Amino acid sequence: MQELFTNAPAHWPKVCIEGLIHSNAPEVKAANRLMFATTVETVFRKSGIQVLEADVLRLTREGVLEIPLRVRAEDGEYDLFFYPIADEKAAAHYVAVHELAQKWGRIRPVFYSTDDLLAIYPETLEPVTRRDRLYIQAALSAPKGQYAMWWAQEPGEQFHYSSTYDLFDRIYREINGLEMRAFALILLELGMIQEEYEFTASTFTDSVVEIPVEGPEGVPIILSFSQHRGVRFHFHMDRTSAEYRDLFLNLFLMRVKLWRKEADLEQVKRLDSPSYIWWRELGKRLRLSTSSSEHAISAVGSVKR
């Protein structure tokens, strides 16, 4: 039985574990993580600390972060990271996670390991977030409610001056003329097609395709596509915070930038597409409406289920 080192609050119960296998093989790492999760759940149950969920995906400004275990204590939620092998690689990962938390918030990391990771100085930090996927899953149906690209959460908020508008604007500019291929990229991740060429203008007969999906952290989203308005994400208004909305759109923006770089599309000359022209005209109308009307628009891109 080995007591694990940690930087958890001093009053938390000690976590002791036995049977750890010192190997980085994927199947061994999975077994060690499961052993850690079940041990923590047993130990914490007696102390009033609640284990919320295991193997969690959290959105951050720099991409998606995988968290082994999330717990709730009296003073809020914490994110637990487990390192069976206390080496420089483990220290580099945790320091990077800690710096991410300090910079952007949303996570409160705590480590558990077989030695004190804070006593190990890593020369370089390894990347801890992923931006090569959206981590979305197709859903059988969209939960009932109102969905929108954006909605005001405070009186007087205006879409045109919001961070959400800026993100959509950057997305529309990035995929201008490549909308069909960008949507195919999402369909590939969802497993709905196997090759990009399978999705073409003749693939769908309806003017608008709408697909209910579940985003990271279980948030309901409706993905829509049309040649007139391009790729759009409509978020469940009651189950999505403004912070999450912007983080997801930022993830898509990073994903598209990476895709264009890998596909060598950065220098491709493109004519303005119908959807980009629609977006640009929408921006003009929004500017006019905010300057000529006392009534601000409360939601944009609404979809009801």
Side-chain angles (χ1 to χ4, degrees):
M1 186 77 72
Q2 181 176 10
E3 182 179 320
L4 298 177
F5 285 79
T6 183
N7 61 341
H11 65 277
W12 283 20
K14 305 297 182 187
V15 176
C16 299
I17 201 164
E18 63 177 337
L20 282 179
I21 304 171
H22 294 278
S23 168
N24 282 318
E27 62 275 11
V28 173
K29 287 172 72 175
N32 282 338
R33 183 180 284 195
L34 178 60
M35 195 184 308
F36 170 72
T38 53
T39 302
V40 166
E41 188 167 19
T42 302
V43 172
F44 281 15
R45 190 182 302 139
K46 302 170 186 176
S47 66
I49 300 174
Q50 180 187 3
V51 173
L52 298 176
E53 50 186 339
D55 299 325
V56 188
L57 297 175
R58 292 283 280 177
L59 279 174
T60 76
R61 284 285 294 273
E62 296 178 18
V64 174
L65 177 68
E66 185 179 351
I67 299 168
L69 209 60
R70 299 197 79 234
V71 301
R72 181 184 292 125
E74 287 184 357
D75 61 338
E77 296 180 3
Y78 288 83
D79 303 286
L80 275 50
F81 292 83
F82 176 51
Y83 304 93
I85 301 175
D87 55 11
E88 188 175 323
K89 184 177 180 182
H93 185 279
Y94 181 72
V95 170
V97 168
H98 185 266
E99 288 189 359
L100 184 69
Q102 294 290 100
K103 190 174 182 181
W104 302 116
R106 282 209 104 218
I107 52 173
R108 292 174 78 184
V110 166
F111 81 82
Y112 284 86
S113 188
T114 49
D115 206 341
D116 186 4
L117 292 186
L118 300 183
I120 303 171
Y121 181 78
E123 290 188 11
T124 57
L125 300 186
E126 63 174 48
V128 293
T129 56
R130 299 272 305 264
R131 57 186 69 175
D132 58 339
R133 292 178 56 199
L134 296 180
Y135 291 92
I136 56 175
Q137 298 178 22
L140 291 175
S141 61
K144 289 184 179 179
Q146 193 75 36
Y147 293 74
M149 295 168 64
W150 172 89
W151 58 96
Q153 295 190 310
E154 298 292 338
E157 274 190 80
Q158 296 178 0
F159 179 48
H160 189 68
Y161 299 109
S162 70
S163 55
T164 308
Y165 176 88
D166 181 59
L167 283 163
F168 267 116
D169 189 58
R170 291 165 67 191
I171 288 168
Y172 268 94
R173 290 174 185 274
E174 197 73 31
I175 63 175
N176 180 18
L178 299 169
E179 291 86 358
M180 191 81 71
R181 295 188 65 180
F183 188 63
L185 190 72
I186 303 172
L187 296 181
L188 281 168
E189 180 173 335
L190 290 171
M192 292 184 167
I193 59 174
Q194 300 304 312
E195 298 290 344
E196 183 185 317
Y197 67 80
E198 292 177 36
F199 182 76
T200 64
S202 59
T203 304
F204 60 96
T205 53
D206 295 333
S207 57
V208 180
V209 177
E210 292 183 352
I211 303 172
V213 300
E214 186 178 280
E217 304 178 29
V219 172
I221 302 170
I222 292 177
L223 163 68
S224 75
F225 176 80
S226 72
Q227 291 183 309
H228 180 54
R229 298 190 178 184
V231 180
R232 297 190 294 165
F233 296 97
H234 313 262
F235 303 88
H236 195 291
M237 291 170 59
D238 292 333
R239 294 171 59 176
T240 312
S241 66
E243 180 186 36
Y244 180 96
R245 184 177 65 203
D246 284 0
L247 286 171
F248 183 87
L249 292 173
N250 184 63
L251 174 65
F252 182 57
L253 181 61
M254 291 190 292
R255 175 72 187 98
V256 168
K257 282 178 174 288
L258 181 63
W259 164 64
R260 281 191 57 194
K261 186 176 181 180
E262 290 174 342
D264 198 22
L265 295 170
E266 292 179 302
Q267 305 303 322
V268 175
K269 292 188 179 296
R270 297 163 284 158
L271 297 174
D272 285 347
S273 64
S275 58
Y276 179 66
I277 293 170
W278 168 81
W279 171 255
R280 204 169 52 197
E281 292 302 313
L282 175 65
K284 290 178 184 176
R285 292 199 304 274
L286 288 169
R287 280 192 291 273
L288 286 172
S289 66
T290 53
S291 61
S292 63
S293 173
E294 296 180 3
H295 302 289
I297 295 170
S298 61
V300 174
S302 295
V303 176
K304 185 158 185 165
R305 284 292 179 269

